[in-house]
Structures are given as C-alpha cells and as structure tokens.
C-alpha cells in the first residue's frame, strides 16, 4: 500500500479489523458476512510536511493513529540524507534507464522469478509450532524489552503485548523460510535483531555523520552486565544480549580480543567467562 498516510477515514477503519482480527466484514445487498483476510501488509508513508522532524515521534511525523501504527510488526525509517557516493549511483541508474529504456547490468545474477515464487509457495505450506522449552526464553525476552523501553526514551516507541505477538509471528516466518516445522531459539533471536534494527533506524535520526563503533557499544553492554559489583561475566550472557541488540558474534569476538589485549579483562582458558582487571 503506497501513500498509506493518505488513506481516508473509512479505509483506515476497515483496515483496523483486517490487521487485528485477520477478518473483514462486508454488508452489501442485504447480505452481512465476515470473510478471512489472511495477508501480509507492506506499506509506505511520507512525513506530514514533506520532511521528517527528528524531534517528533514517528506517529506525529506520519500523521497516523498510534493504534494503527502499532499493528505493524516492523516500522523502518528511511531518510533521504545527502551522500555523494549513493547520489552518484542513483543518478547513474536513473539516467541509464532513461537513455536505454532498460536496467543497467547487475554485478550479481538475480534469482529467477519462478524459483522465488515456488520457494515462497513451498514455505507457506509449513505451519511451525513453538516448543515448550522456548516459553521461558520468550517470556524473559519480552519482559526485558518492556524494561528497556522504559529506560530508553530515544526511540519514542512503546512496547506492548502486540510486540510479543510480532516476535512470535516473525519467528514463525523465519522457521518457514528454513522449511522447518518447529521454531528454534535462533529464529527468536533473529526476530529480536530485526526489531532492534527497526528501533535503531528511528533512534539514529539526529546526526547522520555519527558512526557507531561496534567495539564501544559491545563494551558498554558488557560493562552494564558487570554493574552491581560483579567482576565476572559469562560469555553466553554477553552473547545473548549483543544478539538482541543487533550485533554479530564475529563483532563480539573482536571486542573480546581487543579489550583483552589492553588488559581491561581476562578470559578463562575455555573462553566461557571473563573477569574485569580494572
């Protein structure tokens, strides 16, 4: 749905039921019925006055009711920031299409449309379930998301029970991509990473030149885990936290090695725990 912010009030009211109940009520020619409406919705909206105001929330910028916006599992903010390299690539692409009436040659070979269509059709035939052993993990993740939302006011977002449903839906979708009948913990962690990157896109609307250093960010996470006087931190606990924040295990290993070489901490022989030296 393009220009999602320009829908009239009647359509907005109708889409509420579709996104919440997966049904649509129809009353025509004296016949009233309810039909299934199981469909994914990908929508795009523009800011109210043509430019995004980072001092306002996403709801205020897009001019959409918060109740409707919260029904989307993921909301990414795409800002048109001046960038010489990207602007040259975009301009070159547009002029090539305009001159040759065809797309420029690609550096990679795209997948065949029939292959993608059949892959999606096969994936949709799976109906993965969540095993009982993941229940405590998912509950713990949700409560942590609620706590983090209260402490972090930069994203101006709200974590509600719909967030938990979004995690379950995304995890099930990731399991379908693997042609699996059971949701794994890796699926849940990837769903959390997507949600974190979604919030990060809203958070990073201020200084476009600010570059996030993975080592520094991971060090802050480890330092927070060690707050309260604990000098020893389990690597598994660190790994769980950095994955939820959108970082990769390779970045964690680089951070552990860098700060160990600086004698900030020391890892045991099995590399399962670290102890702060400073």
């Amino acid at each position: 749905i393009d220009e999602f912010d320009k829908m009239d009030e009647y359509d907005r009211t109708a889409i509420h039921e579709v996104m919440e109940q997966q049904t649509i009520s129809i009353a025509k020619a004296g016949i009233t019925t309810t039909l299934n409406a199981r469909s994914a919705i990908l929508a795009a909206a523009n800011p109210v006055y043509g430019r995004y105001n980072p001092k306002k929330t996403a709801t205020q910028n897009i001019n959409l009711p918060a109740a409707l916006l919260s029904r989307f599992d993921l909301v990414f903010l795409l800002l048109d920031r001046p960038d010489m390299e990207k602007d040259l690539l975009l301009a070159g692409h547009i002029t090539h299409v305009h001159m040759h009436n065809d797309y420029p040659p690609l550096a990679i070979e795209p997948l065949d449309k029939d292959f993608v269509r059949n892959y999606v059709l096969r994936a949709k035939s799976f109906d993965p379930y969540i095993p009982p052993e993941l229940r405590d993990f998912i509950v713990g993740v949700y409560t942590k998301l609620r706590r983090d939302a209260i402490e972090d006011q930069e994203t101006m977002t709200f974590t509600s029970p719909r967030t938990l449903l979004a995690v379950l839906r995304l995890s099930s979708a990731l399991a379908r991509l693997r042609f699996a009948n059971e949701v794994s913990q890796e699926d849940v962690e990837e769903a959390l990473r997507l949600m974190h990157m979604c919030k990060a896109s809203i958070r990073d609307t201020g200084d476009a030149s600010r570059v996030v250093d993975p080592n520094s960010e991971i060090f802050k996470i480890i330092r927070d885990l060690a707050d309260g006087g604990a000098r020893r931190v389990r690597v598994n606990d660190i790994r769980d936290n950095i994955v939820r924040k959108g970082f990769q295990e390779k970045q964690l290993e680089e951070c552990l090695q860098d700060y160990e070489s600086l004698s900030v901490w020391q890892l045991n022989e099995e590399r399962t725990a670290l102890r702060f030296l400073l």
Side-chain angles (χ1 to χ4, degrees), residues 150-168:
I150 296 174
E151 297 173 355
D152 183 12
Q153 299 298 327
E154 294 183 18
T155 56
M156 299 181 183
T157 56
F158 180 70
T159 302
S160 67
R162 283 180 184 158
T163 307
L164 177 58
L165 293 175
V167 172
L168 298 178

Side-chain angles (χ1 to χ4, degrees), residues 22-259:
Q22 284 81 52
T23 60
I24 182 169
S25 301
I26 298 177
K28 285 189 176 181
I31 299 175
T32 303
T33 185
T34 301
L35 302 176
N36 289 331
R38 303 182 185 278
S39 176
I41 296 179
L42 176 66
N46 295 316
V48 181
Y49 301 111
R51 295 189 67 85
Y52 191 90
N53 185 353
K55 296 182 180 179
K56 295 184 178 180
T57 64
T59 306
Q60 294 170 336
N61 273 285
I62 303 174
N63 193 26
L64 284 174
L68 180 58
L69 201 59
S70 66
R71 282 173 166 78
F72 286 94
D73 295 341
L74 298 171
V75 178
F76 286 94
L77 179 62
L78 304 177
L79 295 181
D80 184 18
R81 292 169 172 153
D83 186 295
M84 180 64 72
E85 184 179 352
K86 293 181 180 179
D87 291 344
L88 286 173
L89 290 174
L90 178 61
H93 179 88
I94 293 175
T95 52
H96 187 282
V97 172
H98 183 74
M99 293 171 61
H100 303 280
N101 197 27
D102 193 12
Y103 296 107
L106 300 175
I108 60 173
E109 183 179 355
L111 295 174
D112 183 68
K113 289 188 293 184
D114 291 334
F115 172 79
V116 175
R117 188 178 293 112
N118 291 331
Y119 186 95
V120 173
L121 187 63
R122 172 75 189 283
K124 290 174 68 175
S125 66
F126 289 83
D127 187 18
Y129 69 94
I130 297 175
E133 55 267 22
L134 278 183
R135 178 184 178 276
D136 292 339
F137 175 72
I138 295 174
V139 170
V141 161
Y142 172 67
T143 54
K144 188 177 186 305
L145 286 174
R146 291 274 291 182
R147 185 171 63 251
D148 291 346
I150 296 174
E151 297 173 355
D152 183 12
Q153 299 298 327
E154 294 183 18
T155 56
M156 299 181 183
T157 56
F158 180 70
T159 302
S160 67
R162 283 180 184 158
T163 307
L164 177 58
L165 293 175
V167 172
L168 298 178
R169 279 192 293 265
L170 291 170
S171 303
S172 299
L174 289 164
R176 288 191 183 95
L177 286 177
R178 298 186 294 105
F179 296 164
N181 290 314
E182 181 178 313
V183 175
S184 66
Q185 183 170 330
E186 288 74 18
D187 295 327
V188 179
E189 290 175 348
E190 177 63 13
L192 293 170
R193 189 191 69 82
L194 289 172
M195 299 193 73
H196 177 76
M197 298 308 295
C198 155
K199 293 183 178 181
S201 70
I202 300 177
R203 181 189 298 111
D204 298 335
T205 56
D207 185 7
S209 62
R210 182 172 64 91
V211 179
V212 176
D213 178 24
N215 273 12
S216 300
E217 295 297 321
I218 293 175
F219 176 77
K220 291 178 183 177
I221 295 173
I222 299 174
R223 186 182 58 191
D224 291 341
L225 289 174
D227 280 348
R231 306 288 297 176
R232 187 175 181 274
V233 184
R234 295 173 63 245
V235 174
N236 283 339
D237 294 339
I238 300 172
R239 184 177 292 107
D240 292 342
N241 277 270
I242 66 108
V243 168
R244 293 170 195 166
K245 296 292 185 181
F247 296 101
Q248 301 174 356
E249 291 194 24
K250 181 181 178 181
Q251 295 171 325
L252 171 61
E253 290 299 327
E254 292 177 357
C255 177
L256 293 176
Q257 292 176 7
D258 290 347
Y259 282 94

